[in-house]
Amino acid sequence: MKTMSCDICEKKFSADSFDEWFKLMQGHYMADHAAFMEQAKNKSKEEGMKWMSDMKTKFEAL
Ligand SMILES: [Zn+2]
């Protein structure tokens, strides 16, 4: 079990795998960072992929 906090706020999430952690984050983003989600829609797929890989690298390094 690894714990990593949200990249926007200080809220922490625990999961066994990055995929699980990402699922928790999706729910959290939609509930607490709706404005950010709206902005994210305008971002390119490459930016989204980069975010994913950066977060995954961080998670794996824990
Ligand atoms: Zn957050």
Side-chain angles (χ1 to χ4, degrees):
M1 195 71 122
K2 291 180 177 184
T3 302
M4 190 158 88
S5 57
C6 171
D7 61 324
I8 298 176
C9 69
E10 296 295 306
K11 209 161 177 178
K12 289 179 164 60
F13 296 91
S14 299
D16 284 321
S17 66
F18 178 75
D19 285 349
E20 226 175 280
W21 183 85
F22 182 65
K23 269 184 211 157
L24 293 173
M25 281 297 287
Q26 278 184 311
H28 167 64
Y29 263 51
M30 281 187 263
D32 294 336
H33 303 304
F36 180 83
M37 288 294 278
E38 275 304 309
Q39 284 177 3
K41 280 182 193 164
N42 299 321
K43 287 186 180 170
S44 67
K45 204 179 170 194
E46 285 71 26
E47 273 180 277
M49 293 302 280
K50 193 189 176 305
W51 182 90
M52 277 284 273
S53 81
D54 284 353
M55 294 309 269
K56 190 167 181 166
T57 303
K58 263 199 214 175
F59 187 87
E60 301 297 342
L62 289 174

